[in-house]
Amino acid sequence: MKYEPVIGLEIHTELKTKTKMFCASKNDPDERHPNVNICPICTGQPGTLPVINKEAVNHVIKVGLALESKIAEITKWDRKNYFYPDLPKGYQISQYDEPICLGGKLKIPNSDREIRITRVHLEEDTGRLIHFGHIGHSLVDFNRAGVPLMELVTEPDFHSGEEASAFAQELQLILRYLGVSDANMEKGQLRVEANISIRPPISKLPACAKALAGRQAPSSILGTKVEVKNLNSFKAVRDAVDYEIKRQSELLDEGKKIAQETRGWNETKGQTISQRGKEQSHDYRYFPEPDLPPLRIDFGIVEEIKAAMPELPSQKRTRFKNNYGLQDDQTNILVNNEKLANYFENVVSEFMNWDKEGLDKDSLLAPELDASPHFIEKEKQLIINLSANYLLSDFLGLLNESSAEVSDIKITAEDFAEWVCLIHRNVITSRAAKDVLKEMWATGKDPSQVIREKDLVRVEDLGEIEKAAEKIIKESQAAVLDYKKGKEASLQFLVGQVMKETRGKANPETVSDILKKLLK
Ligand SMILES: [Zn+2]
C-alpha cells in the first residue's frame, strides 16, 4: 500500500440513568413532549449548583473495567466553553485532563486485532434544535440537555473502515451487556466520529521519524487529520472511513495538500462533505469547574462493581465455542442476541437434566427413552449441534417473520428440546418436523400433542410407503416416462409427490429406494 491510514474513533454514548447528570430531572429518551424533563439546573439558571449523578459515574467505571482501563482515584470536572442555542449555560461540564478511565483495550471479534483505548470520560449532553425551515424559525427542546454522556477515545489503531465499524459494533454490544446504555445509533444514543489521516508506510520513513510514529508523532508524520461527523450507522462508519482514505490518497497523488477540517457524511451521495475548516474550529477555553470539587473514587465501590460484572460478549463467545462446540457464525448470532442465547442455553440445560422420570408420561419420547435411556447422554454433542442448527434456521426464521421478541414466543425451552430430540430419535422426519414447529409456534402446544393430533409419526411400514408410491406412479405417467428416458430430476419430483401423499411422514431416502425398485 502506498499510504498507511491512521484512524482513531471518538464515540459518545447517552447513558441509561434515572436522572440527568447534574440534576434530578428525568432522563427519558422516549419523552415526546418538548421541555418536560427540565429544571433550573439543566436550563442553566443563575445561582443553581450541579450535583454529580453517582449512577452515571458507576456506569463509566463499569465500562472502564470491561475495557481493562485504569480507574482513576481522583477525577476532575472542567468547563468546555462555547456558544450554541442548544447549550443553555454557554458551557458543557466535561472532563479535560483527569478522566474517570485511562487506557484499556478492546479486541475486534474473530480477529487478532486489539485497539488501544486512550480514555473514557463523562460529560453532559446538549439540548436539541428543531428547525422549521418552511416557516423560517427553529425551536429548542431541553429534555436532552444535561443527560449523562460518556465519551470514549481510541488510539489511532484502525487500518480500515471495516475495523472501525466492527469496533463500534462490539462496543455497542458491551454497553448493552453492561446495561449502561441502549446504544441505539438511530436514536442518537451512540454517536461515532472518526479522525482520519494518511501517511507513507512506516517502513519508508527515516529512522528518527519511525521512533515517533506512535502517539506523539507531529502532524508532519501522522499526516493532516480530518474529522468526520454524523456517522449514525455502522455502515456509515465503514463507508465514510474508506471514502476518506481514498479521497486523501488521491489528493496526495495529485500533489495537493489535505486541509485540516471537519467533514460530515452524506449517506445519499456516499461522500464526506466539508463542514468547517481549522480557522473556524472552536477554542473551548477549558478550566476547572468551580462548582464541583474533584471526585475521589472509592476503591471499595470499584471492587463492588467488579464483583457484579456480567459475562461480556467476548467471554460468552469463548464459552459457547468451548462448552457447546459451536461454529464462529453460530456463536456470533447467539452472542449478538442475548435473549436468543439464553433461550439456547435453557434448551441445552433441558437435555443435560433429562431422564425419563423428568419427562411427561404422554411424551412420544418416553418410549424412546425406555428403549435406550443412555442414548441422550452419549449423543449430547450431536443434539446440541442439532438444536443450534434448528434454532438459527427454522426458529429464527419464524422469529424474524413475526418480528417478535424471544420473550414473546409460546414455545417453551422444554418443548423445543423435546422437538429436537424427536427429530434426532427419528420419531418424526425433518420434513414433518417443520409443520410441527409451526403449529407449536402458533398454539404453544407441546410437540408430542401436535404430532398425535396431526398423525405425523414417521411411517416405518414399508408396505404403506409402497402403496403411496404405486398410487403416485399411476397418477404421474409423464414423469415416470421421463425418468425411464434417463431424466434424474423426474425421480425427485416423484419422491416429492410421495412425501406429500404421506404428509412428510416417510423418510425421503426410503421413498426414493422404493420408487427405484418399482420403476425398474
Ligand atoms: Zn434538570
Side-chain angles (χ1 to χ4, degrees):
M1 200 194 290
K2 199 167 168 193
Y3 305 106
E4 194 173 275
V6 179
I7 306 156
L9 295 181
E10 286 175 29
I11 302 181
H12 284 89
T13 308
E14 274 177 15
L15 296 179
K16 195 155 70 175
T17 53
K18 282 182 214 72
T19 56
K20 292 189 185 179
M21 189 59 229
F22 299 110
C23 65
S25 300
K26 228 168 121 188
N27 171 13
D28 179 7
D30 296 321
E31 177 58 63
R32 289 287 156 265
H33 303 91
N35 297 311
V36 177
N37 296 323
I38 57 171
C39 74
I41 296 174
C42 57
T43 52
Q45 306 303 313
T48 56
L49 284 174
V51 178
I52 300 167
N53 182 334
K54 187 176 159 188
E55 193 185 11
V57 174
N58 287 353
H59 279 357
V60 174
I61 294 173
K62 232 182 198 180
V63 173
L65 291 172
L67 301 173
E68 297 175 50
S69 307
K70 185 179 177 299
I71 311 297
E73 283 171 40
I74 290 181
T75 183
K76 154 179 155 294
W77 308 90
D78 300 277
R79 281 192 187 178
K80 180 181 180 181
N81 300 278
Y82 65 96
F83 175 77
Y84 204 70
D86 64 7
L87 189 69
K89 294 196 291 245
Y91 60 84
Q92 241 176 324
I93 303 180
S94 180
Q95 299 196 288
Y96 185 61
D97 53 356
E98 292 186 53
I100 298 176
C101 312
L102 266 176
K105 58 189 180 193
L106 194 161
K107 192 175 166 289
I108 295 180
N110 309 311
S111 83
D112 53 5
R113 297 272 296 132
E114 204 168 72
I115 305 299
R116 292 169 299 158
I117 310 293
T118 314
R119 56 183 280 160
V120 189
H121 73 250
L122 198 46
E123 55 190 34
E124 55 180 333
D125 210 346
T126 62
R128 211 195 302 252
L129 288 178
I130 299 140
H131 303 288
F132 293 93
H134 58 292
I135 45 174
H137 65 254
S138 298
L139 298 174
V140 63
D141 174 12
F142 288 127
N143 281 344
R144 201 180 69 176
V147 161
L149 198 62
M150 182 187 83
E151 180 173 343
L152 178 149
V153 182
T154 77
E155 293 291 307
D157 287 350
F158 299 96
H159 294 158
S160 66
E162 191 64 52
E163 276 185 7
S165 160
F167 176 95
Q169 285 182 61
E170 182 69 358
L171 180 70
Q172 181 191 55
L173 203 55
I174 291 172
L175 298 172
R176 289 178 174 173
Y177 270 52
L178 294 176
V180 300
S181 174
D182 290 336
N184 188 329
M185 284 188 100
E186 279 166 30
K187 288 187 183 171
Q189 293 165 335
L190 185 80
R191 303 168 218 158
V192 180
E193 288 163 35
N195 292 312
I196 305 151
S197 63
I198 56 171
R199 65 177 180 204
I202 289 190
S203 57
K204 289 188 186 158
L205 289 174
C208 60
K210 267 185 216 171
L212 282 170
R215 62 171 79 175
Q216 283 117 9
S219 63
S220 57
I221 293 167
L222 281 183
T224 309
K225 196 164 85 175
V226 172
E227 192 183 344
V228 184
K229 289 178 180 274
N230 311 346
L231 304 174
N232 43 25
S233 72
F234 296 121
K235 184 177 176 293
V237 172
R238 190 191 63 205
D239 293 350
V241 167
D242 288 341
Y243 176 86
E244 260 313 293
I245 295 171
K246 191 162 160 272
R247 186 187 71 89
Q248 294 182 22
S249 303
E250 283 168 5
L251 280 175
L252 288 191
D253 281 346
E254 291 165 20
K256 290 180 184 157
K257 274 200 163 164
I258 292 160
Q260 186 182 336
E261 61 184 349
T262 300
R263 299 175 75 87
W265 175 244
N266 184 314
E267 184 82 60
T268 334
K269 290 186 178 164
Q271 292 174 350
T272 61
I273 287 155
S274 181
Q275 285 184 332
R276 62 167 189 259
K278 191 190 178 189
E279 57 284 354
Q280 294 154 276
S281 74
H282 296 295
D283 171 11
Y284 292 120
R285 295 170 291 117
Y286 279 100
F287 63 83
E289 168 59 54
D291 290 338
L292 288 171
L295 179 72
R296 181 178 292 278
I297 297 176
D298 185 59
F299 178 73
I301 287 180
V302 177
E303 285 305 303
E304 251 174 56
I305 296 173
K306 200 184 274 180
M309 286 285 274
E311 182 180 46
L312 294 171
S314 58
Q315 294 165 333
K316 204 191 254 314
R317 269 184 213 107
T318 310
R319 190 167 60 82
F320 273 30
K321 272 185 235 171
N322 294 347
N323 289 11
Y324 305 132
L326 300 188
Q327 306 293 318
D328 277 355
D329 51 345
Q330 294 180 316
T331 306
N332 285 338
I333 299 174
L334 289 172
V335 171
N336 288 345
N337 187 337
E338 219 184 344
K339 284 179 183 163
L340 192 64
N342 291 342
Y343 189 87
F344 169 71
E345 294 212 87
N346 289 339
V347 169
V348 171
S349 86
E350 288 292 332
F351 301 137
M352 299 295 180
N353 302 324
W354 253 351
D355 52 31
K356 50 187 167 67
E357 279 77 38
L359 206 64
D360 187 350
K361 275 193 190 60
D362 294 333
S363 170
L364 286 164
L365 210 53
E368 288 294 316
L369 287 178
D370 266 336
S372 48
H374 302 298
F375 198 57
I376 282 183
E377 184 62 34
K378 270 192 266 168
E379 301 284 316
K380 234 174 235 174
Q381 188 55 49
L382 270 178
I383 298 173
I384 289 173
N385 283 344
L386 203 61
S387 305
N389 287 339
Y390 276 115
L391 202 65
L392 298 180
S393 53
D394 297 67
F395 186 93
L396 197 58
L398 288 167
L399 197 65
N400 292 339
E401 232 171 72
S402 59
S403 52
E405 286 278 350
V406 175
S407 45
D408 303 332
I409 59 143
K410 291 179 181 157
I411 305 177
T412 62
E414 188 188 349
D415 284 345
F416 188 83
E418 187 178 339
W419 177 76
V420 171
C421 273
L422 288 165
I423 303 169
H424 177 72
R425 293 258 177 150
N426 285 322
V427 177
I428 44 173
T429 65
S430 51
R431 170 69 193 76
K434 287 178 195 295
D435 292 339
V436 175
L437 187 71
K438 276 186 192 147
E439 183 70 13
M440 290 164 70
W441 185 273
T443 62
K445 288 179 182 167
D446 76 67
S448 294
Q449 192 187 352
V450 175
I451 293 165
R452 275 204 191 88
E453 280 174 10
K454 294 193 169 262
D455 180 25
L456 288 175
V457 174
R458 191 173 70 103
V459 177
E460 286 184 69
D461 179 359
L462 293 184
E464 198 176 321
I465 302 174
E466 241 174 64
K467 225 157 90 192
E470 276 163 358
K471 179 168 180 255
I472 294 301
I473 288 172
K474 215 177 270 171
E475 288 170 3
S476 323
Q477 279 304 311
V480 170
L481 275 175
D482 283 345
Y483 172 70
K484 285 189 171 162
K485 278 183 206 153
K487 203 171 150 196
E488 273 302 310
S490 297
L491 183 68
Q492 282 319 304
F493 169 78
L494 292 169
V495 171
Q497 292 303 109
V498 179
M499 291 294 291
K500 219 187 249 173
E501 182 68 25
T502 60
R503 285 180 300 127
K505 294 192 293 182
N507 178 358
E509 276 102 67
T510 316
V511 172
S512 178
D513 289 346
I514 288 175
L515 278 168
K516 276 185 201 161
K517 198 184 79 190
L518 290 174
L519 292 173
K520 241 185 209 162

